[in-house]
Structure formats: structure tokens, C-alpha cells
Amino acid sequence: MEEMRLQGGGTAAAAPIIEFRGVSKTYPTGTHALEDVNIRITGGEFVFIVGSSGAGKSTFMKLIMREEKANTGIIRVNGFNLTTMPRKEVPMLRRTMGIVFQDFRLIPTMNVFQNVAFAMHVVGASDRDVRREVSRALSKVGLGNKARSMPAQLSGGEQQRVGLARALVNSPDLIIADEPTGNVDPNMSYEIVSLLTEINKRGTTVLMVTHDHNLVRDFQHRVIMLERGKIVADNAGGSFQ
Amino acid sequence: MKFSSMRYLAGEGVKNAWVNRLMTIASVGVLVACMVIIGLAILISENVNKAVGNLEQQNVVMAYMKDYNWALYGGGSDADTSSGTDSSASDASQDTASDSEEAEAGTSAESSEGSESTESTTDDTDKADENGIKPSDYVIHNDDEAKALCDEIAKIDNVAAVEYITSEEGLESVKESMIEGQESYFTFLDDEYGNPMSGAAKITMTDMSKFDETIDKIMELDGVDTIQSQSDLADKIAAIKRGVGIAGFWIIAILMVISLVIVSNTIRVTMYNRKLEISIMKAVGATDSFVRIPFVVEGMLIGLVSALIAEGLLYFCYRVATETIIATLGTTDIVYYSDVAWWLLLVFIGIGIFAGVLGSVIMISKYLRREGSEFAAI
């Protein structure tokens, strides 16, 4: 565990929270998803990952979550060495990150409160902590008054904010957002990215996959562009065109 | 795992069973049917065993002893060669009288010739009586020795009970079993030559399948002359018990596998219905056991509910069946449900929990290892 969690999962500004060194991933079907990728993302950064379909964005995210293993290279996330980490340690890695999905992934039979609380139950939080932290997370995303609503009663933007609250509730070091604005209108997209930016300002590293060039341009964060499994651009300050 | 997590997961399991209530009801129905059939197989087996047990109790073995009457009827003359099964004390030699006379004459001669020799001192305690029978001619001299032999027999493995039957009791018993008029022959023998029946040990065995080896051990004891038994019946009883045991085992084994498949299938459906939930659980850091526990609880719940329903249903069906049997056949020699109710319930609960836990563990483990994607929620 000491070996794997090399830097203790801290969020010190200069410490790399995600590090890819010479990473390649080829699926059993023969598809080369990533080739010799080298990335270093330090704690507290906000990074947009952009690229067309099939560029390797999903594989990149799967490797960070350790849903897939790289064929070659070294991956370190939140102090865990994903290359040597046994499968049983994967839950520990994931508890250090919050994940926001494009399709919200809310459980339709649970209300807003239960959907967010769900993430806390998984890590074994007490009922008292669940009540306190879920209310706090819902307030952060502006849904304090919707705790009892069911997902079907919410707009797309509200549902994504519930997803964001769920990602935030365990106070992760890193938030991974997979096209969080893909299913919401432009105004709500700006709101969601604003929320993520606010969270980032409090020290949480944010990694967001997006196709929306306007958001990338307007929010002026670091941009990494993938094409055919390779990094073709890595520009700080949203200078991506 | 923390108590709050356990409580949460147990609640989730119960909730799953309710949310998927149609599948739950279908699974409970099939499991109940399996359990009732298993219960019936057990009850039938128990009833057959009871009936066979009664037959076993009746299938007693008589071990006749080498006592005075045995010697009187010529047993001593060929004591070493007369042992064997299926022979009877009633086949005593008709030459007993002449043999006895010869023996008496010989003994008298020896006695008068060497009165000062060592041998004659020994012979003083081994004098022939009026029938020419010396104490050394037979092994069992009195009731105490007969009872001691019975105690020896009782120590043999597989001997359930031993009862000492005196020669007088034996004679009475034989007379009673005779048709009218025939018993006069035994009365004549008794009056003229003495009781033809030897004392005997009435033996009941525990397991008729070990009949032959038990008989061999009894025959090895000093003082046992012949064994009278119904070895054919013993073989049949053993065969029936063996057959019922094998049939019961296979019925239970097959239905156990069916139960396992049924619960596994329900859990599989539940699992695919909840793949979104599982993917989110895994994405936010749930361990495999955290994902697994609600399914295990659901499986256990299905098993437990099925066990309780099966117990009630079987009680009702068996009661109706036994009441009908008692009313029509008039026999009360059956296994009553109250005698087996608790252990049948334990068997059902055991089957239910076994099928529920194993079925869900197999299914969810397979899913977690080989299928599903946290990222794509498929």
C-alpha cells in the first residue's frame, strides 16, 4: 500500500495527481486506443480533454479509473501505481475520485438524497455523516430544496447537478467528468462548468472530457487534445482551437 | 464491515426482493415445490424405514446353547460339528437313550477301576447323572452361565438386544406354535426323555445388512450350538433399506441442484436489472463484497420464505394423507409430522440458505469478474 500510494493522495499544488509515462493500450480486438501517451497533471489543475470520437478519450478515462490496464507504460493516479496495483485495491483508488457521467447515471427508484447518499454508504459512512454531508453537497450544487424529488421530476441540468453532488460528497482529491454537459442545454452547460471551476478553486483537481469548443475557449483551462490515441496538443490557458 | 453498512446492505437486499417481486414469487414457488418434493421423499423414506424397522424387530435370531438338554439329546456326541445356521434343536438324535447308557457304563467302569488315581479325583466332580450326562459334556450348566453368555452376545457389534429364553419357555413357545394335536409329540418327549429344547438367546440386530458377519461372531462364542434365523428376510430388509436410501439421496441431490439453478436465475435477472446501480457502486469505490451482499441477502430471503411456506404446505398435505391412511387402512404405525417437523424445517432452511447464498455468490462473482463496465454502465 505504501508503495502504491506513493504521494499519499495529497493535493499539494506541485504534486502530480495523474501521471502517464509511455502508456499504450491495445484491445484484444487489435484496436490501438492509446500509443505512447505521456501526461502529467498536478494537483489542483483543471484540465479539458478534447478529441474526436475514437481519439482515445474513453480509454484514457478507463485507465485512470483502472477499469482497463495499460499494455505498456506506467500510470500513477492519486499516489496509486495502477500498473502494479492488485484488483482488490481498485475500490480504494476510486474512493479518492468523484466521477460525473454524461448520462447522469442516477438510480430512478431513489430520490435525490438517496442517490447522493448511495456514494457514502459504499464507503461505510455512518447515518449521521450521510445526513450532514449529503445536505452539504446538495447545497453546494444548489439543490438543497430538491432532496426528496425523484430523478424523473428534475430537468437534465438538475440531474447532472445531482450527479455532481454525488461525485463531491466523499470530498475526493480528483473529479473526472465525462462530457458532463453533453446532455444539457448551453446555459446549463455554463452553470455546470462554473460549478466545477468553483470546486477546482477549493483545491480539487478536475479532469473534464468535452466536445464543446465554446466551453473550452470561455473557461480558459489547460487543454489536452487526443487524436488517434496520441496527444496532439497540450496547451495551458485554453488556447486550443 | 461496519454495522451501518451491514444494515444498509441487508435493507437493500430486502428492497431488491420486493422491487423484483414477480421474479421473487416465481422463484419462491419453484423452490417451495422442490422443497415439498424433498420433504415427501424424506417422509416416505422415514415411513419405509419405520416399517422395515418393525420387520427387523420381528426378525429375531435364536442362538441355542450347549446346555444339559442339548447334551441329553446327543449334542455332546458331535458337539464340534453340529454348529451351523438354519438347523433346529428339534433334530436331536433319537439314539440319545442308547448313547446315554453307553456313556453311563463307561463312566461307571472307569470310576470303579482306578479309585486312587489322579484322574479318578477329577472324575469325582464330573460324574454322570442318571441320564449318563457328565458336566463336561456340555458348556452351559445353569441360568447364570446362560445369562453370562447372553451378556457376551450383547457386547457384539450390531446386536441391539438379547433376551434369555429358558428351555422351559422355549418348549412352551414351540407347543404354542404347533397346530392342535402336534404339540403332544413334544409333551411325550418331555415326559419320557426330558425337555428337548435347549436354552436360547433371543437376539435382535440393529442393521440387517450386517447379518452374516454378526452371526459369525455369535457362533465363535463358546456355548453357542446353533443359530436359527430367517436370513432371506434379513437380506430383503437390507435391500429395501439400501434402495430407499439411494433413491432418497438422488431425489434430494437432483432437487438441490434444481433449487440452486432457480435461485441463481432469479439473482441473474435481478443483477441485470440493477446493472446501472452496480456500475455506479463500482465507480464510487464499492468493494466486490459490498456489491455482492444485497444479492446474497435477497437469495437468503427467497430461501427462507420458501422454507417456511414449504414446511406449512407439507404439514397440511401430510396431515391430510395420514388421516386418510389411518381412516382407510386402520394403521397408526406411521411417522407423525410432529416427530420430524423441526428437523424438516431445518433441512428446508438449510436448502434455502444454501441455494440462496451459493446461487447469488456464483452469479454476482461471475458478473463482477467477467462482465459489466463501470464506465459504460453495461
Side-chain angles (χ1 to χ4, degrees):
Chain A
M1 188 68 189
E2 279 301 313
E3 263 182 40
M4 283 179 288
R5 199 167 165 78
L6 296 171
Q7 284 122 11
T11 53
I17 202 161
I18 297 173
E19 190 177 10
F20 275 51
R21 272 198 274 163
V23 172
S24 295
K25 173 68 185 175
T26 304
Y27 287 103
T29 52
T31 309
H32 299 292
L34 288 180
E35 279 181 59
D36 194 26
V37 171
N38 291 285
I39 294 175
R40 187 181 162 93
I41 297 169
T42 53
E45 272 195 275
F46 192 125
V47 180
F48 285 120
I49 307 289
V50 295
S52 54
S53 293
K57 302 188 300 293
S58 293
T59 300
F60 180 68
M61 302 295 252
K62 284 180 181 181
L63 288 172
I64 291 171
M65 288 173 69
R66 186 46 151 72
E67 191 179 323
E68 293 289 349
K69 273 182 92 171
N71 298 113
T72 56
I74 294 169
I75 303 173
R76 288 199 175 100
V77 177
N78 267 342
F80 289 89
N81 184 341
L82 274 53
T83 322
T84 56
M85 188 171 67
R87 189 175 176 270
K88 64 176 182 180
E89 295 290 343
V90 173
M92 301 306 127
L93 163 77
R94 291 182 184 164
R95 287 176 192 186
T96 66
M97 57 179 80
I99 299 163
V100 183
F101 300 97
Q102 179 181 2
D103 54 357
F104 322 134
R105 304 269 176 93
L106 302 181
I107 298 163
T109 53
M110 290 181 179
N111 65 30
V112 167
F113 184 93
Q114 288 165 332
N115 264 288
V116 179
F118 181 70
M120 287 195 81
H121 286 301
V122 166
V123 298
S126 68
D127 289 347
R128 203 173 127 196
D129 287 348
V130 169
R131 279 194 297 274
R132 191 183 60 232
E133 293 303 322
V134 172
S135 302
R136 193 177 289 173
L138 286 175
S139 298
K140 268 187 201 169
V141 298
L143 290 174
N145 58 340
K146 300 265 184 177
R148 302 282 163 215
S149 303
M150 298 304 282
Q153 297 168 316
L154 304 177
S155 68
E158 285 172 326
Q159 286 190 55
Q160 192 55 290
R161 282 192 279 162
V162 177
L164 197 50
R166 184 177 62 198
L168 284 173
V169 76
N170 284 327
S171 307
D173 300 325
L174 168 68
I175 284 189
I176 297 172
D178 178 32
E179 298 192 40
T181 58
N183 283 345
V184 295
D185 62 60
N187 286 340
M188 191 51 69
S189 295
Y190 273 84
E191 264 190 48
I192 285 167
V193 181
S194 298
L195 262 172
L196 285 169
T197 303
E198 247 179 68
I199 292 160
N200 171 248
K201 279 178 184 166
R202 290 182 205 137
T204 307
T205 310
V206 177
L207 192 63
M208 178 177 153
V209 172
T210 186
H211 277 124
D212 193 330
H213 291 192
N214 293 330
L215 287 175
V216 173
R217 190 183 57 236
D218 293 346
F219 281 91
Q220 295 287 303
H221 296 302
R222 180 181 168 186
V223 184
I224 295 173
M225 188 178 185
L226 284 167
E227 275 307 330
R228 291 178 188 170
K230 290 182 179 169
I231 294 175
V232 292
D234 185 351
N235 305 325
S239 57
F240 163 75
Q241 293 298 316
Chain B
M1 190 172 281
K2 291 176 185 172
F3 176 72
S4 57
S5 296
M6 284 303 292
R7 202 182 53 192
Y8 172 77
L9 293 173
E12 285 296 299
V14 174
K15 204 171 80 182
N16 289 350
W18 176 248
V19 170
N20 299 294
R21 53 190 172 277
L22 270 179
M23 273 308 292
T24 304
I25 290 167
S27 302
V28 166
V30 180
L31 262 184
V32 165
C34 287
M35 286 179 184
V36 167
I37 297 169
I38 288 173
L40 280 174
I42 291 172
L43 284 166
I44 289 169
S45 165
E46 281 298 300
N47 273 296
V48 170
N49 279 338
K50 188 170 184 180
V52 169
N54 289 340
L55 274 177
E56 279 180 333
Q57 291 297 315
Q58 290 162 20
N59 187 30
V60 293
V61 171
M62 298 297 282
Y64 289 98
M65 298 175 183
K66 292 176 177 176
D67 60 4
Y68 183 84
N69 292 358
W70 166 79
L72 180 66
Y73 277 80
S77 61
D78 54 355
D80 293 334
T81 56
S82 64
S83 296
T85 55
D86 296 320
S87 67
S88 168
S90 62
D91 62 0
S93 169
Q94 295 298 315
D95 300 332
T96 305
S98 56
D99 289 349
S100 300
E101 280 162 17
E102 283 169 20
E104 191 177 11
T107 310
S108 306
E110 277 174 21
S111 162
S112 58
E113 278 171 15
S115 57
E116 287 177 19
S117 71
T118 314
E119 281 181 12
S120 68
T121 312
T122 312
D123 288 341
D124 285 346
T125 58
D126 194 29
K127 280 184 185 170
D129 64 4
E130 66 276 13
N131 293 320
I133 308 294
K134 293 182 291 182
S136 61
D137 290 339
Y138 53 98
V139 181
I140 306 298
H141 299 91
N142 49 46
D143 281 355
D144 288 342
E145 286 182 9
K147 283 173 187 168
L149 179 60
C150 288
D151 290 343
E152 284 298 305
I153 294 170
K155 284 178 194 165
I156 292 172
D157 198 28
N158 193 40
V159 170
V162 182
E163 187 189 349
Y164 173 48
I165 308 292
T166 64
S167 53
E168 291 77 21
E169 288 168 344
L171 183 62
E172 282 309 308
S173 172
V174 169
K175 283 181 180 175
E176 279 169 20
S177 64
M178 295 282 147
I179 56 169
E180 204 174 332
Q182 279 193 347
E183 81 280 4
S184 59
Y185 173 66
F186 281 86
T187 309
F188 164 76
L189 282 178
D190 191 21
D191 293 344
E192 289 295 316
Y193 306 108
N195 185 352
M197 299 300 293
S198 301
K202 187 177 175 183
I203 303 160
T204 310
M205 291 188 202
T206 309
D207 183 359
M208 297 309 277
S209 65
K210 296 177 186 168
F211 181 84
D212 289 340
E213 57 185 87
T214 310
I215 292 294
D216 288 345
K217 283 179 188 167
I218 295 168
M219 286 301 295
E220 283 169 10
L221 293 175
D222 193 24
V224 174
D225 174 32
T226 54
I227 300 271
Q228 190 179 50
S229 68
Q230 291 173 284
S231 58
D232 286 353
L233 182 59
D235 290 345
K236 280 175 189 163
I237 288 170
I240 290 170
K241 281 183 88 168
R242 211 166 35 243
V244 169
I246 291 169
F249 170 81
W250 282 110
I251 289 171
I252 291 168
I254 290 166
L255 291 172
M256 286 277 282
V257 173
I258 292 173
S259 305
L260 192 64
V261 171
I262 294 301
V263 176
S264 301
N265 210 38
T266 306
I267 297 297
R268 189 183 168 84
V269 171
T270 309
M271 211 168 56
Y272 282 102
N273 283 345
R274 296 184 64 212
K275 63 183 180 185
L276 170 69
E277 211 170 314
I278 294 172
S279 77
I280 299 166
M281 276 186 176
K282 296 290 290 172
V284 297
T287 57
D288 283 357
S289 52
F290 189 93
V291 177
R292 198 180 287 131
I293 286 171
F295 294 99
V296 173
V297 169
E298 186 184 353
M300 275 174 66
L301 191 69
I302 289 171
L304 274 175
V305 170
S306 305
L308 293 173
I309 294 173
E311 174 84 358
L313 197 63
L314 194 61
Y315 167 73
F316 176 76
C317 294
Y318 191 70
R319 200 176 140 189
V320 171
T322 50
E323 278 173 2
T324 311
I325 288 167
I326 291 167
T328 51
L329 300 178
T331 178
T332 55
D333 199 14
I334 50 168
V335 174
Y336 288 94
Y337 199 82
S338 55
D339 298 338
V340 292
W342 279 108
W343 74 264
L344 262 183
L345 181 63
L346 287 177
V347 167
F348 290 159
I349 289 174
I351 293 169
I353 290 180
F354 172 78
V357 172
L358 196 65
S360 52
V361 165
I362 291 169
M363 275 299 144
I364 192 72
S365 298
K366 192 177 156 198
Y367 179 85
L368 289 173
R369 262 199 324 272
R370 298 183 195 165
E371 301 169 57
S373 164
E374 295 87 313
F375 194 72
I378 53 169

